[in-house]
Amino acid sequence: MADSPAELRAAFRSGESGPTSGLAPGHAQANLLVVSTDWAYDVLLFAQRNRDACPVLDVTDAGSPGTPLAPGADLRTDLPRYRVWRDGRLADEPTDVTDVWRDDLVAFLVGCSFTFDTALTRAGLPWRYPGRNVSMYVTDQQCRAAGRVHGPLVVSMRPVPEASVDTAVRITTLMPASHGAPVHIGDPAELGIADVASPDFGERAMFEPGDVPMFWACGVTLQAAVMASRPEFAITHAPGHMFITDVHEQT
Amino acid sequence: MADSPAELRAAFRSGESGPTSGLAPGHAQANLLVVSTDWAYDVLLFAQRNRDACPVLDVTDAGSPGTPLAPGADLRTDLPRYRVWRDGRLADEPTDVTDVWRDDLVAFLVGCSFTFDTALTRAGLPWRYPGRNVSMYVTDQQCRAAGRVHGPLVVSMRPVPEASVDTAVRITTLMPASHGAPVHIGDPAELGIADVASPDFGERAMFEPGDVPMFWACGVTLQAAVMASRPEFAITHAPGHMFITDVHEQT
């Protein structure tokens, strides 16, 4: 598959689908959440109050499917797979949402930890989930609520060789738009995670001897909170099927 | 005057007033903007879209005069001076806004470059505006608009000895909540500023031979944009009379 963000988006627009981990290395990937204008303030405020989990990269004007993060892209067609939610329940998982798009919809694009995987790999860290989705967990920590939007912090986890933990901290701390520094290193129980081998979203990661679990705040936090607050209608990306932007990872 | 944020806020609450530059060194100072809930989404989105100028530190729940940035503080009384705006025009400059406070008001607290002055001074940079307000200018660069809120970028300027320019860049780049890296170094004309000795807000700075003007995005950008868009009612801090938080400068 072609490597440029524009080519990848064109392929998804024409119906191709699949997870985006490892694609378009060096470019920012983004979580998508679409709600009606009625919910937009609560969502934006929730993101602002929980910035580690929800670093906002862009918010569209109502009805507009375009974003300066990728000029020419169409947010209704250019993701590999979507989820459509009605009253907080999953209603459909299409590869195109043009038919359910409305003029009162606002799209939130939120940073994704897939973005820093490239930097970690370049720094020599082994990638413990090639061809898979990352492991994600609902923690026992509550986010700061905003109006109707509330929910727990969701984290992603990567097994990192003990000698590389400092490198991973140093690199990700400088990438706040992709969740920044880890929220926890070491004991999953500190976050209320009973079994690291049973993620709540995504797939089980492969641990090697000497690996330490490192946890980062995850954009699924926003999706989980909005679903918990049951708006009458919402669209998100399907887990792991992110929006690939033209923006470089450092931004 | 006492040095702790809580003591300073108590003094302002009891009627003392004056600019806050140089006070409570090491603690974050904040711009204040208060609008009705009707305007809150446009303001928050404008801030998100122009983050260098408007790094949001906190947004209160409607009607609440409290903030986690300073537990126990009251945003209606604890700033040294306020400005009350009606239809975009200055109506009053009181030291207390309790009498005009309403249950539908939302307060935005936005990072201020006074916060990084301490770090610059600690690094050995001379302070070119002791006991004064910093120089601020309206530039010819337009911010990205959000709904009804639009306006030009406003910047603050500090004269910096040429040998210390790199130090100032290095320090402020790591403080994004206080506007981060400078937006321009050197020629004021590049920002459309005709005469650096005639600031649009604040006072004229003292240049020494060999000083280079360094420009940072300024929180007054948000105030200027909201005033230009003429909400029926708004409250801000008076220029230079900031809210002193309990939060340390690095946050």
Side-chain angles (χ1 to χ4, degrees):
Chain A
M1 198 183 253
D3 256 342
S4 91
E7 288 168 315
L8 288 162
R9 291 193 303 264
F12 298 146
R13 195 181 313 149
S14 71
E16 285 191 44
S17 188
T20 56
S21 61
L23 296 184
H27 293 89
Q29 298 198 21
N31 297 267
L32 174 73
L33 170 66
V34 178
V35 292
S36 69
T37 49
D38 172 46
W39 282 79
Y41 181 68
D42 287 357
V43 169
L44 185 54
L45 186 57
F46 182 88
Q48 197 283 322
R49 288 180 170 175
N50 300 281
R51 247 178 307 188
D52 289 351
C54 313
V56 175
L57 304 183
D58 191 39
V59 183
T60 62
D61 291 317
S64 166
T67 169
L69 300 177
D74 188 324
L75 293 168
R76 301 168 299 186
T77 56
D78 290 7
L79 279 75
R81 192 168 293 282
Y82 299 83
R83 285 185 160 182
V84 177
W85 305 79
R86 296 187 189 278
D87 299 316
R89 281 185 294 272
L90 182 62
D92 196 10
E93 264 198 307
T95 60
D96 184 312
V97 291
T98 307
D99 60 325
V100 292
W101 191 260
R102 306 185 322 219
D103 281 349
D104 70 332
L105 295 180
V106 174
F108 293 82
L109 294 164
V110 166
C112 172
S113 62
F114 283 1
T115 305
F116 64 58
D117 280 330
T118 306
L120 295 182
T121 305
R122 264 196 225 119
L125 272 74
W127 196 17
R128 297 288 193 237
Y129 62 105
R132 306 193 189 196
N133 205 344
V134 70
S135 301
M136 293 167 271
Y137 310 84
V138 176
T139 72
D140 61 2
Q141 300 185 7
Q142 285 297 308
C143 291
R144 189 174 163 208
R148 293 161 289 181
V149 181
H150 58 91
L153 174 68
V154 177
V155 294
S156 67
M157 187 279 298
R158 289 160 179 76
V160 174
E162 195 164 9
S164 296
V165 167
D166 291 347
T167 301
V169 170
R170 199 172 62 243
I171 288 173
T172 58
T173 298
L174 294 176
M175 299 177 72
S178 310
H179 305 299
V183 294
H184 184 68
I185 301 167
D187 184 6
E190 289 280 320
L191 295 170
I193 298 167
D195 180 8
V196 84
S198 301
D200 296 302
F201 310 97
E203 295 171 80
R204 181 177 173 162
M206 294 171 295
F207 275 81
E208 298 288 332
D211 278 358
V212 175
M214 293 184 71
F215 298 89
W216 281 269
C218 178
V220 172
T221 300
L222 183 60
Q223 191 176 137
V226 171
M227 292 315 108
S229 52
R230 300 190 174 280
E232 83 290 348
F233 181 76
I235 302 168
T236 67
H237 66 286
H241 295 62
M242 318 306 290
F243 179 61
I244 299 179
T245 76
D246 289 350
V247 174
H248 289 278
E249 61 192 6
Q250 291 80 1
T251 306
Chain B
M1 196 183 255
D3 256 342
S4 90
E7 288 167 314
L8 287 162
R9 291 193 303 265
F12 298 145
R13 196 180 313 150
S14 70
E16 285 191 45
S17 186
T20 56
S21 61
L23 296 183
H27 293 90
Q29 298 199 20
N31 296 268
L32 174 73
L33 170 66
V34 178
V35 292
S36 68
T37 49
D38 172 44
W39 283 79
Y41 180 68
D42 287 357
V43 169
L44 185 54
L45 186 57
F46 183 87
Q48 197 282 322
R49 288 180 172 176
N50 300 281
R51 246 178 306 189
D52 289 350
C54 313
V56 176
L57 304 183
D58 192 38
V59 183
T60 62
D61 291 317
S64 165
T67 169
L69 299 177
D74 188 324
L75 292 169
R76 300 168 299 185
T77 57
D78 290 7
L79 279 75
R81 192 168 293 282
Y82 299 83
R83 286 186 160 182
V84 177
W85 304 80
R86 297 187 190 276
D87 299 317
R89 280 185 294 272
L90 182 62
D92 197 9
E93 264 197 306
T95 60
D96 184 311
V97 291
T98 307
D99 59 326
V100 291
W101 191 260
R102 307 186 321 222
D103 280 349
D104 71 333
L105 295 180
V106 174
F108 293 81
L109 294 164
V110 167
C112 173
S113 61
F114 284 0
T115 306
F116 65 58
D117 280 331
T118 305
L120 295 182
T121 305
R122 263 196 226 121
L125 270 74
W127 195 18
R128 297 287 192 237
Y129 61 106
R132 305 195 190 195
N133 204 343
V134 71
S135 300
M136 293 166 271
Y137 309 85
V138 176
T139 72
D140 62 1
Q141 301 185 6
Q142 285 296 309
C143 290
R144 187 173 165 209
R148 293 159 289 180
V149 181
H150 58 92
L153 174 68
V154 178
V155 294
S156 67
M157 188 279 298
R158 288 160 180 77
V160 175
E162 194 164 10
S164 296
V165 167
D166 292 347
T167 301
V169 170
R170 198 172 62 243
I171 288 172
T172 58
T173 298
L174 294 176
M175 299 178 72
S178 310
H179 305 299
V183 294
H184 183 68
I185 301 168
D187 183 6
E190 289 281 320
L191 295 170
I193 299 167
D195 180 9
V196 84
S198 301
D200 296 302
F201 310 99
E203 294 170 82
R204 181 177 172 163
M206 295 171 293
F207 274 82
E208 298 287 332
D211 278 358
V212 175
M214 292 185 70
F215 298 89
W216 282 269
C218 178
V220 171
T221 301
L222 183 60
Q223 192 177 134
V226 171
M227 292 316 108
S229 52
R230 301 189 173 280
E232 82 289 348
F233 181 77
I235 302 167
T236 66
H237 65 286
H241 295 61
M242 318 306 291
F243 179 61
I244 300 179
T245 76
D246 290 350
V247 173
H248 288 279
E249 61 192 6
Q250 290 81 2
T251 305

